[in-house]
């Protein structure tokens, strides 16, 4: 009898303690939807979670929260609060532990917090600039790559083609030159494999069970639930290719005079810090950083340009306006240069609107509150995960006139002589955690767009309509990329 009473007493104590902590936690957090025991709201989250976050904000307010698996999540939806949060030093952290437990074991610089992140970011930006980022040689290299790619398009002689995979391979070569020091042929089996792996591994949901239930992550992967076993295998194959690249670089002596790419620069930095204890400049971090740069520099830029081509076909009047602007500034024969952007406001306005309307990354990479803090009057307790809903900002009728409409003119000044990029266009985030590749992305989008419209009229297959239906994984993609026709400009 004593044991029974003791057991019931323990259970009662556990329940009371749980309820007290639950109430204390709820009182600290912004309002939001209720979930289930243990898993929280995770089972109710939809694939297109950016839409759902916007809907929940309409019900619970511009800053709301919910329990998601083992974590409390605060979602910030309105620009004035996001702007404040972006400047908040206590909201610069990343989640503790691995980004995808059981799949990714080591942190890249994008997953680091505090001094380690700042140091890795500083060295990475310095190294990438030293090996060409932002220099004329890099711009020349991109133009050469575009020239090779357009020759491939011309070889189809106006027949309908799926340009998606070929475009991904072309864009990948630009970041490959910076990270690995070389490019790939379009039929190179390794390049094709890496492109396929990137496309398949990015199919993972934004709110996925592995990230939010790390306690059972390895079991989920082992049983291949939610396709996580397959995703794990793909990511390991991808990183094995990066390891091979690193191994090839390690075979040569690295000094200041022969640093040709990011891997060279990182290895050189490693050699300078070999006596430092607990340094993040090690082979594991190099592998993760190189994978991050190659993946982000390939997939996001290519995906954005795919959306741009769809908008060109869906709204051919803009295709004609951009081509007219090209004729008036550089003509149809001279390759574009980055400085031409200043003389081509409508072209830049089209790029801005494509970034806004597609909102490729609608929800930011998770932040973590490193201390108890506030945004507006909303409390955000330490270690909460924080999400910025950039989709809601890009669709806010208080910021944009008819936000659902695709309208590049919204980015032009009154006399249409200049393209204006407002601070609430946050396609690359903003603040201290802004995407380090933003300028590189704009450069490529401009050069590819102008080069294409100098040479091709882009259209859909006869009788085929261009749908803008979206599907969110980590980024927003076209559900089924259509075949397009590239007819040479006379």
């Amino acid at each position: 009898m004593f044991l029974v009473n003791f057991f019931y007493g323990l259970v009662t104590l556990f329940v009371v303690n749980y309820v007290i902590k639950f109430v204390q936690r709820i009182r600290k957090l912004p309002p939001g939807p209720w979930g289930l025991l243990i898993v929280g709201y995770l089972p109710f989250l939809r694939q297109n979670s950016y839409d759902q976050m916007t809907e929940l904000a309409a019900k619970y307010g511009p800053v709301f929260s919910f329990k998601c698996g083992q974590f409390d999540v605060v979602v910030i939806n309105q620009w004035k609060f996001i702007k404040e949060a972006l400047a908040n030093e206590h909201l610069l952290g990343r989640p503790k532990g691995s980004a995808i437990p059981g799949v990714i074991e080591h942190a890249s610089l994008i997953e680091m917090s505090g001094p380690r992140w700042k140091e890795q970011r500083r060295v990475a930006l310095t190294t990438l600039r030293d090996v060409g980022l932002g220099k004329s040689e890099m711009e020349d290299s991109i133009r050469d790559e575009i020239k090779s790619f357009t020759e491939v398009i011309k070889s189809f002689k106006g027949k309908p083609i799926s340009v998606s995979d070929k475009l991904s391979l072309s864009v990948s070569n630009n970041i490959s030159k910076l990270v690995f020091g070389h490019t790939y042929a379009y039929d190179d089996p390794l390049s094709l494999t890496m492109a396929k792996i990137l496309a398949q591994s990015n199919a993972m949901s934004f709110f996925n069970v592995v990230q939010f239930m790390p306690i059972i992550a390895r079991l989920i992967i082992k049983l291949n639930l939610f396709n996580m076993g397959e995703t794990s295998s793909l990511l390991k194959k991808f990183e094995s290719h990066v390891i091979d690249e690193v191994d090839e670089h390690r075979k040569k002596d690295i000094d200041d005079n022969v640093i040709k790419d990011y891997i060279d620069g990182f290895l050189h930095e490693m050699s300078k810090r070999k006596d430092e204890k607990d340094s993040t400049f090690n082979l594991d971090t190099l592998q993760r950083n190189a994978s991050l740069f190659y993946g982000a520099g390939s997939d996001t830029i290519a995906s954005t340009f795919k959306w741009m081509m769809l908008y060109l076909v869906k709204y051919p009047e803009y295709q004609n306006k951009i081509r007219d602007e090209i004729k008036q500034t550089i003509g149809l024969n001279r390759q574009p240069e980055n400085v031409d952007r200043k003389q081509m406001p409508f072209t830049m306005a089209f790029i801005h609107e494509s970034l806004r309307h597609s909102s490729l990354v609608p929800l930011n990479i998770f932040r973590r509150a490193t201390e108890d803090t506030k945004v507006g009057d909303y409390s955000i307790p330490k270690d909460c995960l924080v999400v910025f809903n950039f989709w809601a900002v890009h669709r806010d009728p208080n910021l944009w006139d008819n936000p659902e409409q695709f309208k590049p003119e919204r980015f032009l000044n009154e006399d249409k002589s200049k393209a204006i990029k407002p601070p609430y266009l946050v396609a690359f985030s903003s603040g201290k955690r802004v995407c380090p590749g933003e300028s590189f992305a704009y450069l490529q989008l401009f050069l590819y767009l102008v080069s294409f419209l100098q040479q091709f009229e882009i259209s859909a297959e006869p009788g085929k309509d261009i749908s803008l239906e979206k599907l969110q994984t980590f980024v927003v993609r076209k559900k089924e990329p259509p075949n397009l026709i590239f007819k040479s400009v006379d």
Side-chain angles (χ1 to χ4, degrees):
M1 189 69 179
F2 170 78
L3 289 176
V4 173
N5 289 334
F6 180 73
F7 173 76
Y8 281 129
L10 282 178
V11 171
T12 302
L13 185 63
F14 171 80
V15 171
V16 170
N17 184 58
Y18 177 86
V19 170
I20 291 174
K21 288 185 175 180
F22 176 79
V23 171
Q24 289 174 338
R25 179 179 65 82
I26 290 297
R27 292 184 65 183
K28 287 182 180 180
L29 288 163
W34 292 76
L36 303 176
L37 191 66
I38 300 176
V39 294
Y41 201 66
L42 186 59
F44 305 106
L45 293 171
R46 304 197 301 259
Q47 179 77 26
N48 286 1
S49 50
Y50 60 88
D51 260 344
Q52 189 175 13
M53 297 302 105
T54 307
E55 292 168 7
L56 290 170
K59 182 176 181 180
Y60 294 103
V63 181
F64 67 87
S65 69
F66 56 87
K67 187 78 171 177
C68 190
Q70 296 172 230
F71 302 93
D72 291 317
V73 176
V74 173
V75 185
I76 307 178
N77 298 269
Q78 202 174 84
W79 171 241
K80 74 171 184 176
F81 295 116
I82 290 179
K83 181 181 178 181
E84 181 184 339
L86 286 167
N88 188 327
E89 292 287 332
H90 298 317
L91 295 179
L92 291 173
R94 293 294 191 203
K96 295 178 180 179
S98 171
I100 311 177
V103 178
I104 295 175
E105 301 297 342
H106 305 283
S108 69
L109 70 88
I110 202 172
E111 295 143 355
M112 293 179 179
S113 303
R116 296 190 311 155
W117 159 63
K118 292 178 181 178
E119 186 176 44
Q120 283 286 337
R121 179 185 172 91
R122 177 183 59 78
V123 172
L125 289 175
T126 300
T127 302
L128 289 170
R129 290 191 190 108
D130 288 345
V131 300
L133 185 63
K135 295 182 178 180
S136 59
E137 293 86 351
M138 186 70 232
E139 192 175 330
D140 291 339
S141 176
I142 294 172
R143 279 194 291 269
D144 288 342
E145 173 58 40
I146 293 172
K147 187 175 180 180
S148 297
F149 181 51
T150 53
E151 289 301 316
V152 172
I153 300 299
K154 288 177 182 177
S155 69
F156 286 88
K157 299 179 179 179
K159 296 179 182 177
I161 59 170
S162 174
V163 75
S164 182
D165 292 341
K166 298 174 182 63
L167 178 63
S168 295
L169 293 171
S170 176
V171 171
S172 294
N173 272 340
N174 298 321
I175 190 64
S176 178
K177 190 75 177 290
L178 283 174
V179 177
F180 302 144
H182 63 83
T183 59
Y184 295 95
Y186 296 151
D187 59 353
D188 187 302
L190 180 56
S191 178
L192 292 167
T193 299
M194 292 177 79
K196 182 179 179 182
I197 288 172
L198 280 174
Q200 291 177 323
S201 61
N202 281 332
M204 188 167 57
S205 297
F206 184 83
F207 289 101
N208 65 83
V209 69
V210 168
Q211 185 168 12
F212 286 93
M213 297 292 291
I215 195 170
I216 58 171
R218 295 186 186 279
L219 177 62
I220 290 171
I221 293 166
K222 186 175 182 179
L223 297 177
N224 195 27
L225 301 176
F226 311 104
N227 292 320
M228 285 307 303
E230 184 178 349
T231 300
S232 174
S233 177
L234 286 168
L235 287 173
K236 286 176 181 176
K237 285 181 182 178
F238 180 80
E239 295 204 344
S240 73
H241 295 315
V242 177
I243 291 171
D244 290 342
E245 290 280 359
V246 172
D247 288 342
E248 286 298 314
H249 282 67
R250 293 178 69 195
K251 291 176 183 177
K252 60 183 181 179
D253 294 327
I254 302 296
D255 60 49
D256 290 324
N257 297 320
V258 295
I259 294 176
K260 296 180 179 180
D261 52 56
Y262 173 73
I263 294 177
D264 280 346
F266 193 102
L267 290 171
H268 180 70
E269 192 71 24
M270 271 181 60
S271 69
K272 293 196 301 183
R273 298 167 178 261
K274 60 185 177 182
D275 295 327
E276 290 184 12
K277 291 183 179 180
D278 301 321
S279 172
T280 58
F281 287 88
N282 52 55
L283 291 176
D284 290 330
T285 304
L286 172 56
Q287 173 196 326
R288 289 287 298 120
N289 283 357
S291 298
L292 164 73
F293 290 142
Y294 183 85
S298 301
D299 191 62
T300 53
I301 296 172
S303 295
T304 300
F305 191 64
K306 291 169 191 175
W307 278 111
M308 286 168 59
M309 285 196 292
L310 292 179
Y311 293 130
L312 290 170
V313 176
K314 184 76 172 178
Y315 309 106
E317 65 272 22
Y318 294 133
Q319 186 174 162
N320 294 331
K321 289 187 74 169
I322 295 172
R323 190 175 292 107
D324 287 342
E325 188 173 65
I326 293 171
K327 291 176 181 177
Q328 293 165 12
T329 52
I330 65 172
L332 297 180
N333 296 316
R334 175 172 75 80
Q335 283 189 294
E337 299 175 6
N338 195 34
V339 294
D340 295 325
R341 291 163 56 173
K342 295 178 181 179
Q343 306 301 320
M344 304 179 70
F346 187 81
T347 301
M348 291 308 301
F350 178 86
I351 293 174
H352 292 329
E353 179 67 344
S354 296
L355 290 167
R356 182 199 72 85
H357 199 272
S358 64
S359 293
L360 192 75
V361 183
L363 304 173
N364 71 297
I365 299 172
F366 292 103
R367 303 278 187 99
R368 176 178 59 85
T370 55
E371 299 289 343
D372 288 350
T373 190
K374 278 194 169 187
V375 171
D377 293 327
Y378 298 94
S379 296
I380 302 179
K382 181 180 178 180
D383 289 330
C384 272
L385 301 189
V386 180
V387 176
F388 303 145
N389 188 352
F390 295 144
W391 174 270
V393 173
H394 291 163
R395 288 296 193 279
D396 187 345
N398 295 311
L399 300 174
W400 314 94
D401 179 43
N402 296 319
E404 294 299 326
Q405 183 181 354
F406 185 86
K407 185 181 177 183
E409 294 86 353
R410 70 174 81 247
F411 288 98
L412 295 174
N413 64 354
E414 281 191 26
D415 64 2
K416 300 182 180 179
S417 62
K418 187 177 180 181
I420 306 294
K421 177 181 176 291
Y424 41 85
L425 176 62
V426 280
F428 297 92
S429 189
S430 187
K432 292 184 178 180
R433 281 280 191 180
V434 66
C435 173
E438 180 175 5
S439 62
F440 187 52
Y442 267 108
L443 170 63
Q444 291 184 80
L445 293 174
F446 177 75
L447 294 180
Y448 272 83
L449 174 62
V450 175
S451 297
F452 263 55
L453 293 187
Q454 279 181 316
Q455 300 178 65
F456 305 112
E457 292 179 359
I458 312 172
S459 60
E461 292 183 85
K464 295 289 182 68
D465 184 38
I466 293 294
S467 166
L468 299 179
E469 184 180 3
K470 296 175 171 65
L471 175 67
Q472 183 192 4
T473 50
F474 180 74
V475 299
V476 173
R477 303 180 185 279
K478 176 73 177 68
K479 199 166 186 179
E480 294 179 3
N483 290 338
L484 299 176
I485 295 173
F486 295 82
K487 180 184 176 183
S488 295
V489 174
D490 296 329

